[in-house]
Amino acid sequence: MITLPQYPNLYLIDHPLIKRDLSILRKKKTSNVVFRTVLFRLTKMVAYEVSSNLELNESEIETPLEITRGYTLSEEIILVPILRAGLGMADGFLDLLPDAKVGHVGLYRNEETLAPVDYYSKFPGALKSSLVFLLDPMLATGGSASAAISFIKEKGGSRIRLVNLVAAPEGVRKVHSEHQDVPIFAAALDRELNSSGFILPGLGDAGDRVFGTD
Ligand code: PRP
């Protein structure tokens, strides 16, 4: 992971296969079918990277030959995709963390004000004791992520990691100023937002590209 002194809450995942797949997602000509397929593959690699310091329980296990030390994950994990685009990351995480429970936060941005509008939320009961991975391919102004983190905290969640594919400096700064306890893991830190609040260079509207609504 790469860290930058000006963004103390940001951990950039640095892996050639992730860079290759993110480039496919960025391309305008990538079809919805390919976008979904590559998003799944990329998200699995991201899930692997952001799980690298999960805590383990040790126990004795029996191989066909002898007794040895075995491991299980000691933490309950809850995935919270931010609807809609975050849904495109849920399957990749579930592939590596099949015991995880899944909560949902429904938010969309008002296209004029860019303020997040919430329309749905539902969380598993164990929110308080679990480690939460909040999933959204894009962190633009940070309004949606920051609101989703506030929802999770209101329901008792306290250990939250935000996982994005592309993040804009504006969003990283907003999440840091409003939720200093939440680390952000991202595959790329992009340059800036345009006047419509889109990430540059970005990958377009991930929700539209996942669901074919563009
Ligand atoms: C996009 C994206 C994030 C949000 C990022 O969702 O998936 O949730 O915008 O922007 P922000 O950081 O400025 O809040 P969008 O509003 O397009 O909704 P959708 O996923 O339903 O398409």
Side-chain angles (χ1 to χ4, degrees):
M1 301 263 180
I2 296 173
T3 53
L4 303 167
Q6 64 273 41
Y7 302 110
N9 57 334
L10 179 66
Y11 298 87
L12 285 172
I13 304 163
D14 187 30
H15 195 292
L17 301 182
I18 288 177
K19 286 190 165 77
R20 175 203 60 192
D21 278 355
L22 187 56
S23 302
I24 297 171
L25 297 189
R26 286 188 190 279
K27 281 186 186 170
K28 185 179 171 180
K29 287 194 172 161
T30 297
S31 68
N32 300 128
V33 175
V34 173
F35 192 92
R36 271 197 298 272
T37 307
V38 173
L39 178 59
F40 176 66
R41 185 172 69 203
L42 168 57
T43 305
K44 276 208 287 190
M45 294 188 274
V46 168
Y48 177 81
E49 291 282 331
V50 302
S51 305
S52 65
N53 63 352
L54 292 184
E55 289 176 14
L56 295 170
N57 286 328
E58 276 184 30
S59 61
E60 280 191 350
I61 56 169
E62 198 177 350
T63 77
L65 297 172
E66 60 178 35
I67 302 290
T68 188
R69 189 176 296 166
Y71 302 94
T72 54
L73 293 182
S74 65
E75 306 186 85
E76 294 281 326
I77 293 169
I78 294 180
L79 310 176
V80 180
I82 300 179
L83 308 182
R84 293 175 304 161
L87 283 177
M89 295 175 70
D91 284 346
F93 268 76
L94 281 171
D95 214 47
L96 295 200
L97 300 166
D99 295 326
K101 296 188 168 62
V102 183
H104 294 87
V105 178
L107 291 167
Y108 67 88
R109 293 196 310 180
N110 178 307
E111 285 181 6
E112 276 155 28
T113 65
L114 300 181
V117 181
D118 64 287
Y119 57 90
Y120 185 77
S121 71
K122 176 99 179 164
F123 300 109
L127 202 53
K128 265 187 196 154
S129 55
S130 300
L131 175 64
V132 176
F133 287 115
L134 179 62
L135 310 178
D136 196 327
M138 300 193 299
L139 181 67
T141 64
S144 303
S146 195
I149 293 167
S150 296
F151 284 146
I152 293 167
K153 287 181 173 174
E154 278 165 27
K155 299 285 179 187
S158 60
R159 292 187 306 133
I160 304 166
R161 297 179 187 181
L162 175 61
V163 186
N164 304 117
L165 299 185
V166 290
E170 293 87 338
V172 173
R173 282 195 290 267
K174 182 174 176 72
V175 170
H176 184 53
S177 71
E178 296 184 4
H179 301 286
Q180 287 199 10
D181 55 309
V182 176
I184 302 170
F185 296 87
L189 176 66
D190 276 12
R191 193 178 69 247
E192 61 183 347
L193 297 181
N194 69 10
S195 57
S196 309
F198 273 87
I199 302 169
L200 296 175
L203 44 75
D205 186 319
D208 284 343
R209 298 191 70 186
V210 168
F211 296 110
T213 46
D214 49 344

